[in-house]
Amino acid sequence: MDNGSSMKDFENEIARSFKVLKEGDIIDVTVIGISDTEITADLDYYTEGIIPLGECSHDPAFSIKKDINIGDNLKVMVIDAENASGNVLLSLKEANDILVWDGLKEDYKNGTVFKARITEAVPSGVICYIKGIRAFIPASQLALQYVEDTESYVGMTVDAVIITVEPLNHKLVLSAKAVEKERALVLKAEQTRHLKTGSVVEGTVERIEQYGAFIDIGEGLTGLCHVSQITSRFIKSPKEILKLGDTIKAKIINIEGDRISLSIKALVEDEPGQTSEAYDIPDEYRAGNSSGSVSADESPFAKLLKDIKL
């Protein structure tokens, strides 16, 4: 060993001898050993640090052998500067509780999507862990539809985003519904790209409201036919013309984002000879013929004009 290396090692030993650790310090360490019950860490100190299994994570799914590797760099908190064995007792989860919240706030701002594994069902929702922090997903935020049977989600992994992050209250709330809703909107937008205003579609009446009827036109798409676009005559309700399950054809008159506006009456107006209303003429006002019916000269109008000189 050369004199340069010996001098450097000596200087490091001197620096370590002046280093003082105290409870509450958050320091960087390197994993140098892993057992079933603890992690051994290099503190760049005169003694080694120990992280007991119970101080690794709040997450019950945490595995000391699977989630930690030799050489990992960790941020830990000193909870005992020198225990009975002469080692420094450290806590990974205590440091994480302090440091992780800043990261979670950034994740909230950025809309980070997490793979959240459901570990437990509780009243009105489920529990999962994000970065070692216990998080709650309300039943109303588990899927696009409200989930009654939350127990069935235990063990499942869902994609979710943070909707509430409160470090002081240790409150972390997620939503899988928000992710599903966003993906559904993207999918619907892609599906509507092949549709064009003016094209004719066929679909089934799936819902009727006072203001119009919703038509399922396939591929997960639904169009709205406003009550004013159902028929040319005035109607108070779509139910006067349509009923659930009816199969109808309609013209697309507008596409705005994922909103598709339909018109049934537009197809009728497009038919030849349907540009104006047709009216029945009473028999007494029809022109006659040689078969004995009333002639044009014997019509009521002709009789009125008969004795009038122009």
Side-chain angles (χ1 to χ4, degrees), residues 1 13 20 33 51 60 62 75 102 104 133 144 151 172 174 200 223 235 276 280 282 291 308:
M1 184 179 294
E13 288 295 332
V20 176
I51 310 172
F62 174 84
K75 286 188 178 294
D102 288 337
L104 290 172
I133 300 298
L144 290 175
E151 288 283 352
L172 187 62
L174 308 181
V200 177
I235 56 174
S276 61
D280 289 333
S291 64
I308 297 176

Short mmCIF file of all heavy atoms in Angstrom, two decimals, residues 1 13 20 33 51 60 62 75 102 104 133 144 151 172 174 200 223 235 276 280 282 291 308:
data_model
loop_
_atom_site.label_atom_id
_atom_site.label_comp_id
_atom_site.label_asym_id
_atom_site.label_seq_id
_atom_site.Cartn_x
_atom_site.Cartn_y
_atom_site.Cartn_z
N MET A 1 0.86 -1.19 0.00
CA MET A 1 0.00 0.00 0.00
C MET A 1 0.89 1.24 0.00
O MET A 1 1.82 1.34 0.77
CB MET A 1 -0.90 0.00 1.25
CG MET A 1 -1.88 1.16 1.27
SD MET A 1 -2.95 1.10 2.73
CE MET A 1 -3.87 -0.39 2.40
N GLU A 13 -10.22 8.03 8.80
CA GLU A 13 -10.38 7.56 10.18
C GLU A 13 -10.50 8.74 11.14
O GLU A 13 -11.31 8.73 12.06
CB GLU A 13 -9.19 6.68 10.59
CG GLU A 13 -9.15 5.31 9.93
CD GLU A 13 -10.32 4.43 10.35
OE1 GLU A 13 -10.83 4.63 11.48
OE2 GLU A 13 -10.73 3.58 9.54
N VAL A 20 -20.26 12.86 14.86
CA VAL A 20 -21.15 12.56 15.97
C VAL A 20 -22.57 12.39 15.44
O VAL A 20 -23.08 13.25 14.72
CB VAL A 20 -21.14 13.70 17.03
CG1 VAL A 20 -22.14 13.40 18.13
CG2 VAL A 20 -19.75 13.89 17.59
N GLY A 33 -25.28 -5.69 4.34
CA GLY A 33 -25.69 -7.01 4.81
C GLY A 33 -27.20 -7.11 4.97
O GLY A 33 -27.85 -6.13 5.35
N ILE A 51 -30.68 -1.81 10.87
CA ILE A 51 -32.10 -1.48 10.64
C ILE A 51 -32.90 -2.75 10.92
O ILE A 51 -32.90 -3.68 10.10
CB ILE A 51 -32.34 -1.02 9.20
CG1 ILE A 51 -31.36 0.09 8.79
CG2 ILE A 51 -33.79 -0.52 9.04
CD1 ILE A 51 -31.44 0.45 7.31
N PRO A 60 -47.27 -3.98 5.01
CA PRO A 60 -47.21 -5.39 5.42
C PRO A 60 -46.69 -6.31 4.31
O PRO A 60 -46.27 -7.43 4.59
CB PRO A 60 -48.66 -5.72 5.79
CG PRO A 60 -49.48 -4.70 5.07
CD PRO A 60 -48.66 -3.47 5.03
N PHE A 62 -44.07 -5.68 2.56
CA PHE A 62 -42.63 -5.48 2.43
C PHE A 62 -41.86 -6.77 2.69
O PHE A 62 -42.16 -7.52 3.62
CB PHE A 62 -42.17 -4.40 3.41
CG PHE A 62 -40.68 -4.21 3.45
CD1 PHE A 62 -40.04 -3.40 2.53
CD2 PHE A 62 -39.90 -4.87 4.42
CE1 PHE A 62 -38.65 -3.23 2.56
CE2 PHE A 62 -38.53 -4.70 4.46
CZ PHE A 62 -37.91 -3.88 3.53
N LYS A 75 -31.85 6.38 2.79
CA LYS A 75 -31.91 7.46 3.76
C LYS A 75 -32.62 6.92 4.99
O LYS A 75 -33.73 6.40 4.90
CB LYS A 75 -32.66 8.67 3.20
CG LYS A 75 -31.86 9.46 2.16
CD LYS A 75 -32.56 10.74 1.78
CE LYS A 75 -31.74 11.55 0.79
NZ LYS A 75 -30.47 12.04 1.36
N ASP A 102 -42.82 14.99 0.71
CA ASP A 102 -42.47 15.99 -0.31
C ASP A 102 -42.58 15.38 -1.71
O ASP A 102 -43.07 16.02 -2.65
CB ASP A 102 -41.05 16.51 -0.09
CG ASP A 102 -40.94 17.43 1.12
OD1 ASP A 102 -41.99 17.99 1.51
OD2 ASP A 102 -39.84 17.57 1.67
N LEU A 104 -44.49 12.81 -2.47
CA LEU A 104 -45.91 12.53 -2.73
C LEU A 104 -46.64 13.78 -3.19
O LEU A 104 -47.55 13.72 -4.04
CB LEU A 104 -46.57 11.95 -1.48
CG LEU A 104 -46.14 10.53 -1.10
CD1 LEU A 104 -46.72 10.13 0.25
CD2 LEU A 104 -46.56 9.52 -2.18
N ILE A 133 -46.25 4.37 2.54
CA ILE A 133 -47.25 5.14 3.27
C ILE A 133 -48.64 4.52 3.07
O ILE A 133 -49.03 4.20 1.95
CB ILE A 133 -47.26 6.61 2.81
CG1 ILE A 133 -45.90 7.24 3.05
CG2 ILE A 133 -48.35 7.40 3.52
CD1 ILE A 133 -45.47 7.31 4.50
N LEU A 144 -65.25 3.06 -12.23
CA LEU A 144 -66.17 4.03 -12.82
C LEU A 144 -67.53 3.96 -12.14
O LEU A 144 -68.20 4.98 -11.98
CB LEU A 144 -66.31 3.78 -14.33
CG LEU A 144 -65.07 4.11 -15.17
CD1 LEU A 144 -65.30 3.70 -16.62
CD2 LEU A 144 -64.72 5.59 -15.08
N GLU A 151 -64.41 -6.15 -0.55
CA GLU A 151 -63.62 -7.33 -0.17
C GLU A 151 -63.06 -8.03 -1.40
O GLU A 151 -61.97 -8.60 -1.37
CB GLU A 151 -64.48 -8.31 0.64
CG GLU A 151 -64.81 -7.87 2.05
CD GLU A 151 -63.63 -8.04 3.01
OE1 GLU A 151 -62.62 -8.64 2.60
OE2 GLU A 151 -63.73 -7.56 4.15
N LEU A 172 -53.44 10.25 3.03
CA LEU A 172 -53.15 10.01 1.62
C LEU A 172 -54.35 9.27 1.00
O LEU A 172 -54.67 8.17 1.42
CB LEU A 172 -51.88 9.18 1.46
CG LEU A 172 -51.35 8.98 0.05
CD1 LEU A 172 -50.96 10.31 -0.59
CD2 LEU A 172 -50.14 8.04 0.06
N LEU A 174 -56.30 8.05 -2.63
CA LEU A 174 -56.08 7.77 -4.05
C LEU A 174 -57.39 7.57 -4.79
O LEU A 174 -58.44 7.35 -4.18
CB LEU A 174 -55.23 6.50 -4.21
CG LEU A 174 -53.91 6.40 -3.45
CD1 LEU A 174 -53.23 5.08 -3.79
CD2 LEU A 174 -52.99 7.55 -3.77
N VAL A 200 -74.45 8.75 -41.69
CA VAL A 200 -75.63 8.12 -41.09
C VAL A 200 -75.21 6.91 -40.25
O VAL A 200 -74.39 6.10 -40.70
CB VAL A 200 -76.64 7.68 -42.17
CG1 VAL A 200 -77.84 6.97 -41.55
CG2 VAL A 200 -77.11 8.89 -42.97
N GLY A 223 -74.62 8.61 -28.78
CA GLY A 223 -74.96 9.93 -29.30
C GLY A 223 -76.26 10.41 -28.70
O GLY A 223 -77.10 9.61 -28.28
N ILE A 235 -93.19 18.01 -30.11
CA ILE A 235 -93.50 16.98 -29.12
C ILE A 235 -92.97 17.43 -27.77
O ILE A 235 -91.97 18.13 -27.67
CB ILE A 235 -92.90 15.60 -29.49
CG1 ILE A 235 -91.38 15.71 -29.69
CG2 ILE A 235 -93.58 15.02 -30.71
CD1 ILE A 235 -90.70 14.37 -29.92
N SER A 276 -91.43 19.77 -48.04
CA SER A 276 -92.57 20.55 -47.55
C SER A 276 -93.63 19.60 -47.03
O SER A 276 -93.66 18.42 -47.37
CB SER A 276 -93.15 21.40 -48.68
OG SER A 276 -93.61 20.59 -49.75
N ASP A 280 -103.90 16.57 -46.88
CA ASP A 280 -105.03 15.91 -47.54
C ASP A 280 -106.04 16.96 -47.97
O ASP A 280 -106.35 17.89 -47.20
CB ASP A 280 -105.70 14.92 -46.59
CG ASP A 280 -104.83 13.70 -46.35
OD1 ASP A 280 -104.02 13.39 -47.24
OD2 ASP A 280 -104.96 13.09 -45.27
N PRO A 282 -109.88 17.74 -48.89
CA PRO A 282 -111.23 17.16 -48.77
C PRO A 282 -111.82 16.89 -50.14
O PRO A 282 -111.57 17.62 -51.11
CB PRO A 282 -112.01 18.24 -48.01
CG PRO A 282 -110.96 19.02 -47.30
CD PRO A 282 -109.77 19.02 -48.21
N SER A 291 -116.74 11.00 -64.63
CA SER A 291 -117.42 9.85 -64.02
C SER A 291 -118.59 10.26 -63.17
O SER A 291 -119.24 9.43 -62.56
CB SER A 291 -116.42 9.02 -63.21
OG SER A 291 -115.93 9.80 -62.12
N ILE A 308 -120.01 36.89 -60.12
CA ILE A 308 -119.17 38.08 -59.89
C ILE A 308 -118.50 38.47 -61.18
O ILE A 308 -117.87 37.66 -61.87
CB ILE A 308 -118.11 37.80 -58.82
CG1 ILE A 308 -118.79 37.50 -57.47
CG2 ILE A 308 -117.16 38.99 -58.66
CD1 ILE A 308 -117.83 37.13 -56.39
#
